[in-house]
Amino acid sequence: MFQETINGIRDELTAIYKDLHQHPEPGYTEHRTAGIVAEYLRRCGLSVTEGVALNGVVGVLDSGKPGKTLMMRADMDCLRIQELTGCDYQSQNEGCMHACGHDSHVTMLLGAAKVLSQHTDAFSGKIKFLFQPAEEQIDPSMEEAVRQAGYDGAGGAGFMIQEGALDGVDACVIMHCQPAIPFGTVQIAKRNACASSDLFDVTFVGKGGHGARPHEAIDPVPAMAEAIQAIHALPTREVSCLETCVISVGEVETPGSVWNAVAEKARFVGGFRTFNPEVRALLGRRIPELAETIAKAHRCRAEIRFLNGYMPCLNDERMAQAVAQSCREVLGEDCVDLTDTPAMTSEDAGEYLARVPGAFFWLGAGDPEHTLHNPYFLPSLDMIPLGVRVHVNNAVTMLARLNGAGL
């Protein structure tokens, strides 16, 4: 019964997707997107709340029958990447694109809301549809507004929770597209769905001088090089080899200097990822300690900025099993990978999973050459109705299990 309804709105959803793709908006600036979402949900008969976490949208679909409440989320923001796909609905917002598929997430969840609103007889309880701002990051233009609004975290999930979006929710299911896995398949981690992600920004301040007379200066570059090596050694020397942990330094510079000078400053920026809160705390302590000590040894001063980022996404194992079974019903037995292999990418959906039982999983977009955050990333339009079908079946199946004490 669901597939016929989905087929009937396919063209409508394709038009919404193309429109969203043409008008990407960075974190906390998703005003146009949020307006489209709110209007669509109201036309579907949902109770709608706007302005959650500045411009998030929450739609509630009540079956009219008693039961649990399931939350499903779509993130709305884009990345500041120049699109290079060349498609006829390419981004019209210079320097911005939906390189992580959030436009498809919004479209698929809107489609699921419409389908389920026409089939409330298929479930008991309520479904809460969250359309979240700023999964990628707070856009710099909005940071002051976010802080003034009373949120001091990273990512929109925590802000939405702070404003009550998760109140009354019993469980959640969150889907993200993934070009690295085949189209028409899903991948679900039994436990470790996504790693935490924290950032360190270290500047060593020395004394500038002529490159021919370094003894008259205090060179911060050797200090930086030693610190990078020491920090990179932490996972192999201070973290158990049984833990999953990675550190990357992706930005190195000597601001304002030239090749034949001793730089006044040397700066490096990196991040670390893990699933273990104790490992996360250890690295958060040891990286500043190493930077301070090495700076002192080189007669430099260390300026350290540390940003607590996203917590890990840890699936509830029973929810992961249930979602896997639900997806098998839609896609087939061989199209679901329920895996023990962790993904080291990060997602702020961990904020939801830390508070209610839930599962985060990947829907295959089937384009491994153009990964997420790639300027050429463009999922197939066929992914939209498929994702709607997966959402709908997950909603009906999960509520049946929740209401029947099967979870």
Side-chain angles (χ1 to χ4, degrees):
M1 60 176 174
F2 298 127
Q3 193 59 54
E4 183 177 349
T5 308
I6 294 169
N7 291 342
I9 62 172
R10 177 167 182 158
D11 290 346
E12 174 183 308
L13 295 179
T14 298
I16 291 172
Y17 168 73
K18 288 183 175 181
D19 181 61
L20 294 176
H21 191 85
Q22 285 181 302
H23 301 95
E25 297 170 299
Y28 293 114
T29 71
E30 309 94 332
H31 308 295
R32 183 180 185 277
T33 303
I36 291 170
V37 166
E39 181 184 358
Y40 192 90
L41 294 177
R42 286 196 178 96
R43 289 205 308 267
C44 293
L46 276 68
S47 171
V48 177
T49 303
E50 297 181 76
V52 182
L54 295 187
N55 56 353
V57 180
V58 178
V60 178
L61 178 61
D62 191 339
S63 69
K65 301 183 288 292
K68 302 288 188 179
T69 298
L70 178 74
M71 183 275 277
M72 309 180 87
R73 184 214 73 174
D75 33 17
M76 300 188 293
D77 58 322
C78 75
L79 287 155
R80 286 199 174 274
I81 293 176
Q82 180 65 41
E83 182 168 359
L84 299 176
T85 64
C87 70
D88 59 4
Y89 50 93
Q90 182 165 303
S91 170
Q92 297 177 8
N93 188 352
E94 187 72 19
C96 293
M97 76 169 288
H98 273 295
C100 204
H102 296 184
D103 47 351
S104 70
H105 300 169
V106 171
T107 306
M108 291 185 285
L109 197 58
L110 287 176
K114 183 162 190 175
V115 172
L116 289 162
S117 72
Q118 296 178 16
H119 295 279
T120 54
D121 57 324
F123 65 94
S124 296
K126 300 176 182 178
I127 305 171
K128 212 174 215 187
F129 298 90
L130 263 62
F131 293 84
Q132 176 200 309
E135 186 280 320
E136 296 292 350
Q137 64 180 26
I138 302 173
D139 192 74
S141 67
M142 292 300 296
E143 186 160 3
E144 183 178 351
V146 171
R147 302 310 179 211
Q148 288 181 349
Y151 182 60
D152 61 0
F159 198 177
M160 290 202 80
I161 292 168
Q162 181 175 300
E163 299 218 326
L166 206 57
D167 293 355
V169 169
D170 297 291
C172 67
V173 179
I174 299 170
M175 182 172 73
H176 198 300
C177 67
Q178 176 53 267
I181 63 175
F183 179 83
T185 68
V186 300
Q187 185 179 82
I188 309 172
K190 293 178 183 176
R191 180 62 174 164
N192 294 334
C194 290
S196 63
S197 178
D198 298 291
L199 178 145
F200 52 90
D201 184 332
V202 180
T203 299
F204 287 134
V205 182
K207 178 183 176 184
H210 199 292
R213 301 177 65 82
H215 60 285
E216 295 176 350
I218 298 175
D219 194 347
V221 172
M224 176 176 68
E226 184 177 333
I228 291 172
Q229 287 185 309
I231 289 169
H232 274 156
L234 286 172
T236 64
R237 290 297 174 266
E238 297 192 30
V239 176
S240 168
C241 62
L242 301 178
E243 294 289 347
T244 305
C245 172
V246 64
I247 296 178
S248 298
V249 174
E251 185 177 350
V252 176
E253 64 172 345
T254 52
S257 191
V258 293
W259 75 270
N260 57 350
V262 173
E264 181 81 11
K265 296 180 179 181
R267 174 175 176 258
F268 65 98
V269 184
F272 59 89
R273 302 168 188 264
T274 182
F275 295 94
N276 187 329
E278 293 181 1
V279 173
R280 190 181 181 197
L282 170 69
L283 296 176
R285 183 179 72 253
R286 288 292 290 140
I287 289 172
E289 286 177 355
L290 286 170
E292 292 279 6
T293 302
I294 292 170
K296 187 175 181 179
H298 287 263
R299 300 180 297 141
C300 294
R301 173 169 54 86
E303 297 176 348
I304 303 167
R305 185 173 71 92
F306 197 88
L307 177 64
N308 287 315
Y310 296 164
M311 64 174 59
C313 284
L314 302 178
N315 283 346
D316 178 271
E317 294 193 31
R318 290 196 302 166
M319 283 289 293
Q321 293 278 359
V323 170
Q325 183 55 40
S326 172
C327 291
R328 291 188 190 103
E329 294 170 4
V330 175
L331 304 172
E333 288 289 332
D334 297 333
C335 293
V336 176
D337 179 16
L338 182 61
T339 180
D340 289 310
T341 303
M344 297 308 293
T345 50
S346 300
E347 238 277 2
D348 74 347
E351 295 280 352
Y352 305 116
L353 299 175
R355 291 167 173 83
V356 298
F360 174 93
F361 70 99
W362 303 101
L363 175 68
D367 187 11
E369 183 178 350
H370 302 130
T371 62
L372 297 176
H373 295 205
N374 181 291
Y376 292 95
F377 172 65
L378 189 70
S380 166
L381 295 176
D382 292 334
M383 189 181 71
I384 303 297
L386 182 66
V388 173
R389 185 71 179 90
V390 170
H391 270 321
V392 169
N393 206 62
N394 280 340
V396 172
T397 301
M398 292 305 105
L399 278 172
R401 285 176 174 260
L402 288 166
N403 292 325
L407 282 173

